[in-house]
Amino acid sequence: MALTLDHIVIAVHDLDKTIDDYAALGFTVVRGGEHPGRPTHNALVVFEDGAYFELIAWRSPAPQDRWWQLLDQHGEGIIDFALLPPSTAEVIAAAKARGLDLQGPLDGGRLRPDGERLQWQTGRPHTHDLPFLCGDITPRKLRVPEGEVRQHANGATGVARLTVAVSDLLQSLERYRALLGDKAHIHAADGGNSATIALGNSVLELTQTAPQLQSKGEGPLAIVLQGAGTWDQASAKLSHGAPIAFAKAELTSKADSSLATA
């Protein structure tokens, strides 16, 4: 059962301000709605490849919510990410058979601004180096809009890479193999300090040398988008703590650096 990147969660203080700022960065942003039983509301930035950013904010403090704790303690930024399973229950069962315990399936949902009620099921890991699962009960196109909302003025078409900080690379790779199965495409790099995992059109990069490990702990830390866009340092501040770059701009920067040191 192939798993692909579903979405990346970015926690923010003020959703309205964040929507305006991401629009200023050239993203098309759509309001997602409210989560029943939780003081959260969100907005989405959806890409052509089907992955999306979830911009999430809290209307009131939620001290028992780990996501809110991360926002409260470390400020705005990337806090989690999800994979899309063909069946949440089946993936959880398969992972457990391979020795990885996941919580779930857990019921979840959202009430869209137009009154449409969405339902999904999640599977939750016990460690923060892993993503959670988010599988739809109602049609995914209701949760993840299609059409023109996936077109962005800045040229972004998808998530090329998501970097994740891990404290022990070998242990994390064992957990990912248990989650993804024997067909997982994993490649070790950087002298054993990092590894990449193919997830459809996206790549996960696991690294155990990230400074974030000392302060924030394990979890996602940076995004590289597919597309020809770029922005300066002043514009990058509008991303509300989420380090976001473009693959083409990143390659150009590396090439310029190589020429400078040749």
Side-chain angles (χ1 to χ4, degrees), residues 158-242:
V159 177
R161 186 172 75 248
L162 175 64
T163 303
V164 181
V166 301
S167 58
D168 187 313
L169 183 63
L170 293 180
Q171 288 187 4
S172 288
L173 288 178
E174 287 184 9
R175 289 191 279 265
Y176 271 94
R177 288 189 181 97
L179 175 64
L180 301 174
D182 297 334
K183 295 183 180 180
H185 296 288
I186 298 174
H187 175 69
D190 191 23
N193 286 318
S194 69
T196 57
I197 302 173
L199 292 174
N201 296 321
S202 305
V203 171
L204 286 186
E205 180 186 38
L206 309 185
T207 176
Q208 61 182 15
T209 60
Q212 143 170 335
L213 287 167
Q214 300 300 318
S215 56
K216 192 176 179 180
E218 294 183 305
L221 58 88
I223 300 163
V224 175
L225 296 176
Q226 198 65 255
T230 186
W231 42 62
D232 56 28
Q233 289 298 317
S235 296
K237 293 180 180 179
L238 299 177
S239 67
H240 289 255

Side-chain angles (χ1 to χ4, degrees), residues 1 22 33-34 40 51 57 68 72 86 88 129 132 143-144 159 161 166 180 186 211 217 225 239 242:
M1 291 178 286
Y22 270 71
E34 312 275 344
T40 50
W68 184 87
D72 184 53
T88 304
D129 56 334
F132 65 99
R143 176 170 65 94
V144 189
V159 177
R161 186 172 75 248
V166 301
L180 301 174
I186 298 174
L225 296 176
S239 67

Side-chain angles (χ1 to χ4, degrees), residues 35-100:
H35 299 102
R38 300 177 61 195
T40 50
H41 57 150
N42 69 7
L44 313 180
V45 176
V46 187
F47 301 105
E48 288 182 12
D49 66 358
Y52 67 93
F53 296 164
E54 177 185 13
L55 310 175
I56 188 169
W58 284 255
R59 297 189 185 279
S60 61
Q64 304 305 314
D65 185 336
R66 176 178 171 269
W67 288 358
W68 184 87
Q69 292 171 12
L70 289 171
L71 176 65
D72 184 53
Q73 296 171 16
H74 303 286
E76 298 178 310
I78 310 168
I79 55 170
D80 214 337
F81 67 109
L83 303 188
L84 177 65
S87 164
T88 304
E90 290 180 11
V91 172
I92 289 174
K96 286 185 175 180
R98 291 188 288 264
L100 179 65

